[in-house]
Structures are given as structure tokens and as C-alpha cells.
Amino acid sequence: MPGLRKRVLVTGGAGFIGSHLCERLLAAGNDVLCVDNFFTGTRDNVLPLLQNPHFELMRHDVTFPLYLEIDEIYNLACPASPVHYQFDPVQTTKVSVHGAINMLGLAKRVKAKVLQASTSEVYGDPAVHPQPEEYWGNVNPIGPRACYDEGKRCAETLFFDYHRQHKLEIKVARIFNTYGPRMHPNDGRVVSNFIMQALKGEPITIYGDGSQTRSFCYVDDLVEGLLRLMATGPDITGPINIGNPGEFTMLELAEKVIRLTGSSSRIVHLPLPQDDPRQRRPDITRAKNVLGWQPTIPLEEGLARAIPYFRGFI
Ligand code: NAD
Ligand code: UDP
Ligand code: UDP
């Protein structure tokens, strides 16, 4: 109904997760403003949405101020793959920190709810397994991953200080490894790398011995979790882990990808990058209790859904 539509800002909306989120928000009857500087995202990711009169795409860098009238903000702007966030590490910290300050300043001025796309990287190379939200993490503050990990940790600090100091309604989601269609095919993340390598018949590059673990969440499940978190009342701030507790070694992932693509690729081992976390699995008790949310798409099913998208690049 006119006048009752919510005006929702999605920063980083032309990226992988952001484009799926914009789609869902439009389908739910909102006006969506997607703000992106196209560093890792593309217009192609939101091309079908450009036909929709309730969708608006704006090229803007969130490290600069932004004056708008909106009701809700999903702050996703930030490169997410290690290859991309380590390309210009100073800019990565700026995006996380200055971007958060600007979105919090905007939310404060217009009294909007604001959700931060935080990350399991705040737990670093975790000494506690699986990771509950109470765990403070184990992050190397001066290593090559720190621009992202510490940037995201500082963003969380800012969110909670704006909440305490300015009574802002905040929501902090700690997102664990997410995959699906519209991941950048060359962004260096493990799922996109393995699928692209398998489809091209190239060697599958496992870093280290492949015994390190990750927990992979299909993007549709993740977006559902973010929408539910935003819909909670003012007392719910998070942080809340959103991820799939199914835990796999990189060797297991490689085998699944080879089987599902029918590839003849073989596995090669390359050096493990510095500070690469040994293990990662979300404790999602809080998400289950507070949001009534849990993932519904197991890894093999999600991979089978994602593979056709990557075939388009071969
Ligand atoms: P992505 O790289 O596809 O999306 C990030 C988007 O932000 C891109 O469209 C990029 O162009 C945009 N962006 C980057 N810098 C910007 C700037 N200065 N101003 C405006 N836009 C800018 O990555 P993604 O996987 O969709 O991640 C989205 C968010 O979720 C990120 O904040 C990321 O840290 C977080 N996250 C993702 C994962 C995951 O596994 N995908 C896990 C944890 C957290
Ligand atoms: N800001 C913005 N849009 C707004 C309001 C503020 O981008 O609608 C930015 C502004 O540039 C400021 C930052 O958000 O630097 C933090 O705002 P806040 O009001 O918290 O701080 P102050 O302006 O007092 O520094
Ligand atoms: N990885 C790998 N081969 C690749 C890309 C990544 O073995 O081609 C490993 C990487 O070392 C890490 C895991 O896969 O242990 C997940 O890496 P990704 O970059 O996807 O995410 P993150 O390390 O941020 O969880």
C-alpha cells in the first residue's frame, strides 16, 4: 500500500549476498535503495531488479557521508574474500570503520534500524569450538587478515557504542562462510575456486593439507536469517551467529565438488596462507532461540544449485 512501504537501504547491495537480499526485500514489498561502489559487486548482479520501479541503484563509496531518508539499513559494503580484502588493506579497514560510522550517523539522524554484516572472522583462529557469541576470539592484530578482522571488530564496537550512547536500534549478524550463485567467480574464495577449477578441468588447489574446516551456509538460508534478525524488536541487538553448523574439511569439499561436477580434475596442494583459521563452526543456539531460524539447505544440495551459475563463465 502506498505510504506503508518501508524504505530500505542496502550498502554493498550489488555484491553476492547483497543482491540476493535486495531481491527478497523487493519481493516482500519494500522500496529498496542499493548503494555500491562496484569494487567487487557488479550491475549485472542486480540487472533484473533495475526494471522494478521500487528499486534504485546508486554508485557511492560508503567511506563518504550519505544523506538520505530511510527506515532500515543493511550495512554489507565491504570486500569479503581474502584476495579482495588484502588487495588494498588500508581501504578495507576504512570501509569497515568509516563505512560503519557513516551508516550509524545516518541511522542516528533519521532514527533508522541498522544491521551490520559482521563475520565469523571476529573469532579469528578460534580456540573454542564450535564458536558461541560469548567467545571473544583469537585474532592476530598485525597479520594480513587483520585489516578485515579488526575492521569488522571495530565496526561491532561502534555499533554497540552508538546503541549505548545514542540509543540506536542495532542488529549485529556474525555471518559464517556463505556461498551460492552470484559469488564472484574469480574472488579466490574456496567454493568459487573449487567449482571453477573443476568445471575447467584444472587442478583443485587445496591450501595446506586440507584438514582445516569451514561451515558453509547457502545464501538463501543466510538471507532469511538476516531478514528475521532485522524484524526483531528493539531489545534484540545480537551479535547473532548466522551460519550452517555442518562442518567439512577442505579435502571433503574438494571431493564433493569433483563428484557433483563430474570433473576429472586432480587435487594439488599449495602453501597454507598466514593466519588461516584451523577450524570454524557456528554455535547457532541463539539464532534458533531468538529468531526461530536454522539453515535448511545442506552442502551438497546448495552446491548443486550453485554449480549451474558458474557454468555460465566457462
Ligand atoms: P561481495 O564482495 O560480493 O560484496 C560486497 C559488496 O560491497 C560489493 O558489491 C562491493 O562492490 C561493495 N563495496 C565494497 N566496498 C565498498 C564501498 N567502499 N562503498 C560501497 N560499496 C562497497 O561480498 P559478500 O560475500 O556479498 O559479502 C557481503 C557482506 O557480508 C560483507 O560485509 C562481508 O564482510 C559479509 N560477510 C560475508 C561472508 C561470506 O561468506 N560471503 C561471511 C562473513 C561476512
Ligand atoms: N552522516 C551521514 N549521513 C547522515 C548523518 C551523518 O553520512 O545522514 C555521517 C557524518 O559524515 C558523520 C558520521 O555520519 O561524520 C557520524 O555521524 P554522527 O552524527 O554520529 O557524528 P558527528 O557528525 O557528530 O561527527
Ligand atoms: N582454500 C583452499 N583453496 C583455495 C581457496 C581457499 O584450500 O583455492 C582454503 C583456505 O586456505 C581456507 C578455506 O579454504 O582454509 C576457506 O577459504 P576462503 O578464502 O573461502 O574463506 P575464509 O578463509 O575467509 O574462511
Side-chain angles (χ1 to χ4, degrees):
M1 210 192 292
L4 289 183
R5 304 177 74 92
K6 260 187 298 193
R7 298 159 302 175
V8 184
L9 166 63
V10 180
T11 75
F16 158 50
I17 296 175
S19 61
H20 288 270
L21 178 61
C22 288
E23 214 170 82
R24 284 286 305 271
L25 286 165
L26 282 170
N30 299 290
D31 282 331
V32 176
L33 173 57
C34 168
V35 161
D36 206 296
N37 71 348
F38 304 120
F39 176 54
T40 51
T42 63
R43 281 175 67 85
D44 283 347
N45 283 339
V46 289
L47 215 49
L49 308 185
L50 293 172
Q51 317 295 328
N52 189 322
H54 296 288
F55 181 76
E56 201 179 338
L57 176 61
M58 179 195 272
R59 182 192 291 264
H60 173 80
D61 180 333
V62 294
T63 59
F64 296 101
L66 181 62
Y67 287 81
L68 299 164
E69 307 309 313
I70 33 86
D71 303 305
E72 289 180 352
I73 306 170
Y74 290 84
N75 187 34
L76 272 63
C78 186
S81 98
V83 171
H84 283 147
Y85 72 64
Q86 290 172 23
F87 172 76
D88 185 348
V90 172
Q91 179 64 15
T92 298
T93 303
K94 283 185 187 171
V95 176
S96 283
V97 176
H98 293 180
I101 291 173
N102 287 328
M103 289 310 112
L104 288 162
L106 169 60
K108 185 180 114 191
R109 185 179 59 78
V110 300
K111 299 189 170 46
K113 274 193 204 183
V114 56
L115 181 147
Q116 168 68 356
S118 190
T119 168
S120 53
E121 292 286 332
V122 301
Y123 302 122
D125 187 7
V128 171
H129 193 71
Q131 294 79 54
E133 290 85 352
E134 294 78 18
Y135 178 49
W136 289 355
N138 176 33
V139 174
N140 173 0
I142 58 169
R145 298 175 79 98
C147 57
Y148 183 76
D149 300 9
E150 298 289 17
K152 289 283 189 177
R153 285 170 67 96
C154 184
E156 286 201 9
T157 307
L158 285 160
F159 267 69
F160 277 85
D161 281 333
Y162 268 79
H163 173 66
R164 283 184 289 254
Q165 201 174 326
H166 299 301
K167 308 284 172 270
L168 220 67
E169 197 176 333
I170 62 155
K171 314 281 174 193
V172 174
R174 290 190 180 148
I175 301 171
F176 283 63
N177 296 59
T178 301
Y179 69 99
R182 300 207 282 267
M183 280 183 100
H184 196 300
N186 302 118
D187 77 359
R189 283 186 269 195
V190 70
V191 173
S192 42
N193 265 13
F194 284 4
I195 295 177
M196 289 298 285
Q197 289 162 346
L199 292 177
K200 289 184 190 160
E202 293 173 353
I204 307 276
T205 55
I206 290 194
Y207 303 159
D209 64 8
S211 63
Q212 71 271 37
T213 66
R214 293 293 186 275
S215 301
F216 298 101
C217 186
Y218 190 70
V219 64
D220 291 359
D221 279 334
L222 189 275
V223 167
E224 178 65 28
L226 296 182
L227 293 169
R228 286 192 192 203
L229 177 56
M230 184 62 105
T232 54
D235 294 346
I236 306 298
T237 57
I240 295 197
N241 289 338
I242 314 236
N244 189 323
E247 183 183 4
F248 299 90
T249 66
M250 295 312 100
L251 263 175
E252 287 171 330
L253 177 68
E255 282 157 8
K256 282 187 195 298
V257 168
I258 289 172
R259 187 158 38 77
L260 289 166
T261 51
S263 173
S264 55
S265 291
R266 64 195 175 84
I267 287 172
V268 296
H269 291 267
L270 297 180
L272 192 65
Q274 189 192 329
D275 296 340
D276 200 270
R278 285 287 319 148
Q279 54 183 0
R280 202 182 279 148
R281 171 153 59 106
D283 178 335
I284 60 164
T285 311
R286 197 179 281 185
K288 280 184 181 162
N289 291 342
V290 176
L291 308 178
W293 176 88
Q294 61 181 331
T296 58
I297 301 163
L299 181 57
E300 295 219 359
E301 188 184 329
L303 289 173
R305 288 195 200 185
I307 287 166
Y309 170 77
F310 290 97
R311 281 193 201 281
F313 295 94
I314 304 302

